[in-house]
Amino acid sequence: MAHEKPLETLRRVPILADLSPTELQFLSERAVRRTYAQGDIIFSEGDPCAGLFVIESGRIRIFKSSASGREQVLAIEGPGSSVAELPVFDGGNYPASTSAMENTGILFISKQDFYSLCLIHPQVPLKVLKIVGARLRRLVGIIEELSFTTVRGRLISTLLRFAEHGKKTGNGVEVQLPPSNQELASQIGTVRELVSRNLSRLQAEDLIRMEGKTVLILDLNRLKAELEETE
């Protein structure tokens, strides 16, 4: 796996954006590079917090698990994102689990080194507060969706979100689903069987056309209208 220099990765992290080259160098010299294969657990909910994680390459999923093993994805993060800022500050355990969605490179910064940086640069904790605030708003949105919308509505909403980065063709917009219906179910807060059933219904209604994990959205406006009817 090809990596850029740790200094270049740290420069892209929002909470570190205003640091001088010398300060970034301080962190890069102390950052430990770790690599994870697809499916590897980076940390588990309830583990003691050891430090901050910065994604260098690849993508990770942050999720909660129930006692029965059902998962709810809280966020998917990619290169330049920092993870676990909150437990670094409040001294608690990791509040959720994190796993690699593909081969992933991580820069790990110990809690002690990050504390040292924050003591010298009070603007860093303020930026962390802004990031944590944005994540709290996202979590409120997830709770609202799970409480007040149907599986069909959440699935359509997810397809429309995928379409924002989809491939436009003469027949519609092509999007790629996650590798498994179980992963898609974890993202929208349901079970695999309901994902399969609702995808089949959307296809029977000529709203989408499926070929493996590729979905062709035939008419974006019609799909948006269906979403409004589910609300």
Side-chain angles (χ1 to χ4, degrees):
M1 185 188 302
H3 296 285
E4 62 183 9
K5 293 180 179 178
L7 191 63
E8 297 303 317
T9 299
L10 296 175
R11 188 174 283 124
R12 292 191 287 137
V13 180
I15 62 174
L16 307 177
D18 292 338
L19 297 185
S20 70
T22 302
E23 293 154 354
L24 285 171
Q25 187 67 36
F26 169 87
L27 281 182
S28 70
E29 289 173 354
R30 290 159 177 77
V32 177
R33 178 174 279 146
R34 298 177 178 178
T35 57
Y36 300 86
Q38 181 179 355
D40 285 353
I41 296 294
I42 298 169
F43 57 79
S44 297
E45 178 180 351
D47 287 350
C49 176
L52 183 76
F53 296 81
V54 171
I55 305 171
E56 189 174 25
S57 60
R59 292 184 304 153
I60 67 168
R61 61 200 292 272
I62 303 171
F63 63 96
K64 297 278 285 186
S65 299
S66 69
S68 64
R70 181 171 160 182
E71 296 179 353
Q72 171 65 54
V73 174
L74 304 178
I76 293 173
E77 302 286 356
S81 295
S82 54
V83 180
E85 304 93 346
L86 181 59
V88 166
F89 274 98
D90 71 10
N93 297 335
Y94 293 119
S97 301
T98 302
S99 65
M101 298 183 69
E102 54 197 64
N103 290 339
T104 299
I106 296 283
L107 294 178
F108 173 76
I109 300 171
S110 74
K111 188 159 55 174
Q112 292 74 19
D113 286 334
F114 195 64
Y115 276 159
S116 298
L117 179 73
C118 291
L119 288 173
I120 301 170
H121 300 284
Q123 78 271 22
V124 172
L126 290 175
K127 287 193 171 187
V128 169
L129 184 60
K130 185 176 180 180
I131 295 287
V132 171
R135 288 182 180 159
L136 178 59
R137 288 182 182 275
R138 188 191 307 164
L139 291 178
V140 170
I142 290 174
I143 293 169
E144 184 177 18
E145 279 197 349
L146 293 176
S147 301
F148 303 121
T149 62
T150 63
V151 171
R152 177 184 173 91
R154 297 199 296 275
L155 179 59
I156 291 174
S157 179
T158 299
L159 289 175
L160 290 172
R161 189 170 66 250
F162 289 167
E164 293 174 5
H165 307 285
K167 177 184 176 183
K168 293 182 179 179
T169 72
N171 297 318
V173 180
E174 222 174 65
V175 302
Q176 294 297 318
L177 295 182
S180 69
N181 282 352
Q182 181 59 58
E183 176 61 29
L184 183 54
S186 296
Q187 291 186 27
I188 66 174
T190 187
V191 293
R192 181 181 65 251
E193 293 78 11
L194 287 179
V195 166
S196 300
R197 192 179 307 162
N198 278 275
L199 283 171
S200 296
R201 285 177 180 169
L202 292 175
Q203 182 163 241
E205 294 165 12
D206 286 328
L207 288 164
I208 64 172
R209 190 178 301 151
M210 294 185 61
E211 186 173 338
K213 291 303 171 185
T214 300
V215 170
L216 180 66
I217 299 174
L218 300 172
D219 188 331
L220 273 179
N221 289 330
R222 189 176 162 213
L223 195 61
K224 290 174 182 176
E226 285 293 321
L227 178 60
E228 291 175 0
E229 288 183 11
T230 65
E231 293 176 348

